[in-house]
Amino acid sequence: MIWEAVRLALTSVRRNALRSFLTLLGIVIGVAAVIAMITIGTGTTEKVKADIGKLGSNLLVVRSGADSGPGGPRNQARPLSQKDHEILATKLDGVVAVSAASQSMVRVVYGTESLLSAVTGTDDAYFPARNWTLSSGRVFNDSELRAGSNVCIVGTTVSSQFFGAGDPEGATIRVRQMSCKVIGLLESKGFSGFGQDQDNVVMMPLAAFQRRIAGDRDIETIYVAGRDGVSTSQIQSNMEDLLRESRRVAPDADDDFTVRDMTQVAEAMTSATTAMTGMLGAVAGVSLLVGGIGIMNIMLVSVTERTREIGIRLAIGAHEQHILLQFLVEATVLSAIGGLTGVVLGLGIAGGVAYALSIPFSPSALIVLMAFGFSTMIGLVFGFFPALRGARLDPIDALRHE
């Protein structure tokens, strides 16, 4: 009985192909929009998590001055000092690395080639703190760090610009007016979510940067990487206490530094993208309701057109439930075809956008099944009233229909 109803439904869809196609558009667009929006949103969330993870695991960042608010300028304060770095490195518990760093955009030259790069003066703790690894060469040794030797480690963008596919190790480049021997090459990190080339970097000992680039002994940033399993909130609280002591901040005075927990930043950004994804999915889901109304309208038309057919079937002994089942199956088949088409279209759109934006393509089987199931349910629900109307037709009145 069910299969016969399905066969009749498919025959009706083929017989009115154009009308069926126009009816399906609402369902197709709704399902495709839901799947595409949620898949793209999920990929964006994963991209945000990955970009934050590239900054370092359980990372806390210290800078001088207090933030005046999101997007606002930083209040001026004493720069961070070597003393601030040392007190955190020696007295802070639950951490794996504490690194001092300063950075500036500097013209780097090799032969006839030049490149404006982010030059960072730092120490060996910077690499584990910021999740940097070397593909070749070595990190700085103690004597180079103490003396501020003219040695540097370059990113893949700098290496490709100056040396192509060759090995940069042992070559000498010029950073501003300073000749610098390359001792290592960093693994590539690619572009950040904000479009910044993370591989366009040159790293050198902090003392060399301070003497030859910055011209002072200030520290711009201190990076602290917490140990796995240790609460970054607790580490942050301990850091603030130590820094207030180091910087002699009065008990009733505000901090003249800012500690930012990148784990909290990642959670906030992830929460925002997740909420946006849900909102977009809900908005896209409205078109499914529009598609359901379209199915109800077309089924009402179908009942009107087939009044004589219904009357004949009732007259020769068909029961009301048979007529009800026939039209319910027809509405469900119609919406199921639209749902399947929408699934394919939605995944195709999501895949194309993910490729264009370089974000992960992360389709969810649960979302696909839910979107398809909801589209089928829409057909069942919105097809019920027309089906019930057809089933309750009086056979005599139906046979008189012209």
Side-chain angles (χ1 to χ4, degrees), residues 220-270:
E220 181 181 305
T221 310
I222 298 176
Y223 297 100
V224 176
R227 187 179 295 117
D228 288 339
V230 179
S231 169
T232 52
S233 297
Q234 183 59 51
I235 295 174
Q236 179 175 347
S237 178
N238 294 339
M239 288 171 62
E240 290 169 349
D241 291 341
L242 290 170
L243 285 170
R244 287 181 68 88
E245 175 189 339
S246 171
R247 297 169 68 80
R248 301 184 184 278
V249 179
D252 58 344
D254 294 332
D255 294 339
D256 62 352
F257 58 88
T258 302
V259 180
R260 179 158 294 170
D261 185 349
M262 299 309 294
T263 302
Q264 295 177 357
V265 173
E267 290 174 353
M269 294 182 71
T270 299

Side-chain angles (χ1 to χ4, degrees), residues 116-388:
L116 189 64
S117 299
V119 176
T120 301
T122 188
D123 50 39
D124 287 346
Y126 183 83
F127 300 99
R130 294 294 308 275
N131 276 354
W132 279 108
T133 56
L134 270 65
S135 61
S136 64
R138 61 176 178 84
V139 296
F140 312 119
N141 59 40
D142 290 339
S143 62
E144 290 168 341
L145 290 171
R146 285 195 301 269
S149 301
N150 294 3
V151 293
C152 58
I153 299 169
V154 299
T156 54
T157 297
V158 177
S159 178
S160 298
Q161 175 77 15
F162 293 158
F163 309 105
D167 185 1
E169 191 176 347
T172 299
I173 61 176
R174 192 170 79 251
V175 181
R176 194 171 283 175
Q177 303 303 320
M178 167 186 171
S179 295
C180 193
K181 180 181 178 182
V182 179
I183 62 171
L185 175 65
L186 296 164
E187 288 278 2
S188 175
K189 280 191 177 183
F191 284 83
S192 71
F194 302 102
Q196 178 186 7
D197 185 359
Q198 299 177 93
D199 299 320
N200 185 17
V201 293
V202 175
M203 298 178 188
M204 62 176 60
L206 179 59
F209 179 92
Q210 291 172 332
R211 184 174 63 246
R212 305 296 295 274
I213 304 296
D216 56 47
R217 296 188 60 81
D218 298 339
I219 292 173
E220 181 181 305
T221 310
I222 298 176
Y223 297 100
V224 176
R227 187 179 295 117
D228 288 339
V230 179
S231 169
T232 52
S233 297
Q234 183 59 51
I235 295 174
Q236 179 175 347
S237 178
N238 294 339
M239 288 171 62
E240 290 169 349
D241 291 341
L242 290 170
L243 285 170
R244 287 181 68 88
E245 175 189 339
S246 171
R247 297 169 68 80
R248 301 184 184 278
V249 179
D252 58 344
D254 294 332
D255 294 339
D256 62 352
F257 58 88
T258 302
V259 180
R260 179 158 294 170
D261 185 349
M262 299 309 294
T263 302
Q264 295 177 357
V265 173
E267 290 174 353
M269 294 182 71
T270 299
S271 177
T273 55
T274 301
M276 184 63 70
T277 298
M279 184 184 70
L280 292 174
V283 171
V286 173
S287 60
L288 280 174
L289 297 178
V290 176
I293 294 171
I295 286 179
M296 182 172 66
N297 288 337
I298 204 65
M299 293 306 299
L300 285 171
V301 171
S302 181
V303 167
T304 302
E305 289 179 343
R306 295 159 65 184
T307 300
R308 287 184 62 82
E309 174 192 331
I310 294 170
I312 292 172
R313 293 186 62 184
L314 291 172
I316 63 177
H319 295 290
E320 286 187 5
Q321 59 264 35
H322 296 154
I323 305 299
L324 180 67
L325 178 64
Q326 176 185 341
F327 284 99
L328 277 179
V329 169
E330 188 170 321
T332 304
V333 166
L334 200 61
S335 60
I337 293 173
L340 286 173
T341 307
V343 167
V344 174
L345 181 61
L347 291 175
I349 292 173
V353 172
Y355 177 79
L357 299 181
S358 299
I359 61 175
F361 176 56
S362 305
S364 168
L366 178 61
I367 294 299
V368 170
L369 289 175
M370 286 179 62
F372 175 72
F374 189 68
S375 70
T376 304
M377 186 182 69
I378 285 286
L380 191 63
V381 171
F382 282 88
F384 181 78
F385 174 70
L388 186 63

